Amino acid sequence: MNMQQKKVCVIVTTFAQGQPGFLDFSYRIGSLAVAYDVLVISRHPLTQTELQFPGVRYVVIPAPENRMGWLSYLWRCAALIRKQSPAVAVLLHSLAAPVALLIGKTPAVVYWNEHPTHVAPDESGSPIKAALRWAVRRLMFLGARAARLVMPIGEAHRDDLLAQGCRPDRTRMLYMGVDDAFKAADSTGADIPDQRIRLIYAGSVHQDRGRDVMLEAVMLANRDKKIAHLTIVGASPEQLLICRAYVQRHGIEDSVTLHGRVPGSDIPAFYRRADIGVCLWEDRPWYRFNPPTKLFEYLVAGLPVLASDIRTHTEYVKSGVNGLIFEYGSAGMANALTELWAMRERLPQMKRQALLSSEAYRWEAIEPKFLEAVDGVAQGVFA
């Protein structure tokens, strides 16, 4: 009996060299690889284990990491798509959205995961640079409007896309999703910390993502009594040097454990040894739209979230229920740690609430909706 030939799906990625996280992209590529004959385009060879799938074809289109390189890459991706004439093109990043303007009749789906102001900030500068940044942002939004379907990862992105002219019937919000490998087996018997509250931070360790704030907060909170221990996972070699220098300079070696980047499959083990997950961002325009992957991972893992007061945290974390919200800054976080220590007997209950609040973010629940939406585009439902 002949097997029915799969339809072709071309996936355009825009991964950067040194990018730390791939799991949300991995989930989508893996699901599409089961349903379609998949061709993945990238600017660099994809060596990450999370992105390797049997039967998937990989094509590398080299391009420099600059604006002209980005435009050249998009153009060449579009040319390849026009040549392949697939059933559907999945543009797996906001940066890939302009491809939808260049591929003719091939229907496109955009995974809208990053706000254009993160790529091209709306900041002061020379008129020429300001105009170029505006053009980049405009091009990304035009790509989202041209796609048959755009999939924002959160409410703030969805509202913004609608305000930018995307059609409601072609805009469907789907959370990033978290694999069940992260899911806590049981939070009902969680222990109350008798020594220190174990904090975990996973992800990029940059200054605007609260690097210095959380290190100083741990130092301040432990000044009178050692109540907290912070584990950081995901620092690049350069970031590790900065963090180690800070830790040594302030004598907090026994309060901070540092790890470099690890495969995504290793992250759940770190969560199982923690009591609280940490999310903190400076109040930058783009961070008001981009909910962090780790926030949802923490909740699925049954970890309450200690989060700074920005919409992309407060939308999902209810202070005192499945986490605690604090005013961004080292003093604010240190005060929150002191508060957590004082209410540590409530941590088992907060862990249960974190797990209960995570159901909508599990990839197992999101995957069928994602595939249904892509199939709908391939079949002309979103015309």
Side-chain angles (χ1 to χ4, degrees):
M1 184 173 66
N2 293 328
M3 296 290 290
Q4 185 176 4
Q5 188 174 13
K6 292 180 179 179
K7 294 180 179 179
V8 175
C9 170
V10 175
I11 299 175
V12 178
T13 69
T14 57
F15 300 134
Q17 289 280 45
Q19 180 175 323
F22 297 95
L23 285 181
D24 57 326
F25 305 107
S26 172
Y27 302 152
R28 285 157 177 79
I29 295 173
S31 293
L32 291 170
V34 174
Y36 291 87
D37 176 10
V38 168
L39 171 67
V40 175
I41 309 175
S42 62
R43 282 187 287 189
H44 315 283
L46 301 181
T47 59
Q48 298 81 5
T49 57
E50 301 97 317
L51 301 176
Q52 305 304 310
F53 296 96
V56 170
R57 294 174 288 151
Y58 296 88
V59 172
V60 178
I61 299 179
E65 297 275 354
N66 55 39
R67 294 269 166 79
M68 290 306 298
W70 170 64
L71 290 172
S72 171
Y73 174 71
L74 297 183
W75 180 263
R76 293 162 68 191
C77 286
L80 180 56
I81 291 170
R82 291 196 302 271
K83 181 179 179 180
Q84 292 282 324
S85 190
V88 63
V90 176
L91 312 178
L92 207 55
H93 197 289
S94 309
L95 269 170
V99 171
L101 299 163
L102 306 169
I103 55 177
K105 295 182 179 179
T106 298
V109 176
V110 176
Y111 177 56
W112 192 262
N113 65 324
E114 188 167 10
H115 198 265
T117 54
H118 201 181
V119 177
D122 186 11
E123 297 173 344
S124 59
S126 73
I128 294 176
K129 288 184 177 180
L132 287 173
R133 289 195 296 264
W134 177 88
V136 169
R137 296 193 301 271
R138 181 66 175 164
L139 192 59
M140 292 171 68
F141 280 123
L142 287 174
R145 289 168 58 178
R148 298 291 175 85
L149 186 66
V150 59
M151 293 181 173
I153 62 173
E155 291 82 357
H157 273 312
R158 178 198 59 203
D159 296 346
D160 182 58
L161 285 166
L162 296 177
Q164 294 290 336
C166 289
R167 287 169 44 175
D169 60 325
R170 290 188 178 186
T171 304
R172 185 171 182 182
M173 190 196 77
L174 288 177
Y175 295 119
M176 287 176 280
V178 178
D179 190 84
D180 272 2
F182 285 84
K183 190 172 182 181
D186 180 20
S187 290
T188 58
D191 294 331
I192 300 172
D194 56 354
Q195 296 297 322
R196 303 194 199 188
I197 297 173
R198 300 168 297 176
L199 310 172
I200 182 75
Y201 174 91
S204 296
V205 190
H206 295 292
Q207 185 172 356
D208 65 352
R209 294 187 179 219
R211 180 195 66 212
D212 299 345
V213 167
M214 60 182 166
L215 289 172
E216 184 176 3
V218 169
M219 179 185 68
L220 293 174
N222 288 343
R223 189 164 42 192
D224 297 325
K225 176 181 173 60
K226 296 187 185 299
I227 63 172
H229 182 278
L230 170 66
T231 297
I232 294 176
V233 182
S236 68
E238 179 184 1
Q239 293 161 3
L240 276 174
L241 289 175
I242 294 171
C243 291
R244 284 171 179 158
Y246 187 99
V247 167
Q248 292 171 3
R249 186 166 62 250
H250 294 280
I252 54 173
E253 293 93 339
D254 64 341
S255 297
V256 179
T257 300
L258 300 168
H259 294 273
R261 291 178 178 171
V262 300
S265 58
D266 291 351
I267 296 294
F270 287 97
Y271 291 170
R272 294 187 189 106
R273 298 192 293 268
D275 301 303
I276 298 284
V278 178
C279 281
L280 67 169
W281 277 347
E282 280 187 23
D283 189 7
R284 302 285 187 91
W286 47 90
Y287 289 149
R288 299 170 196 165
F289 295 93
N290 300 348
T293 308
K294 59 178 154 288
L295 187 152
F296 303 114
E297 290 177 350
Y298 295 154
L299 294 176
V300 170
L303 292 179
V305 183
L306 181 63
S308 57
D309 53 350
I310 191 169
R311 175 183 175 179
T312 38
H313 296 158
T314 58
E315 187 85 39
Y316 313 104
V317 179
K318 305 306 176 189
S319 199
V321 180
N322 61 348
L324 201 64
I325 301 296
F326 64 91
E327 183 179 353
Y328 183 84
S330 55
M333 182 173 171
N335 290 338
L337 290 174
T338 301
E339 183 178 351
L340 276 172
W341 178 254
M343 56 187 280
R344 61 190 181 280
E345 72 282 351
R346 289 179 52 193
L347 274 176
Q349 179 184 353
M350 293 175 71
K351 289 181 179 183
R352 288 192 292 271
Q353 289 297 324
L355 188 58
L356 287 172
S357 67
S358 73
E359 288 300 310
Y361 314 130
R362 293 171 55 210
W363 178 244
E364 183 179 74
I366 295 166
E367 183 181 24
K369 301 174 185 176
F370 170 74
L371 288 175
E372 178 190 26
V374 175
D375 288 344
V377 171
Q379 295 167 16
V381 173
F382 297 92

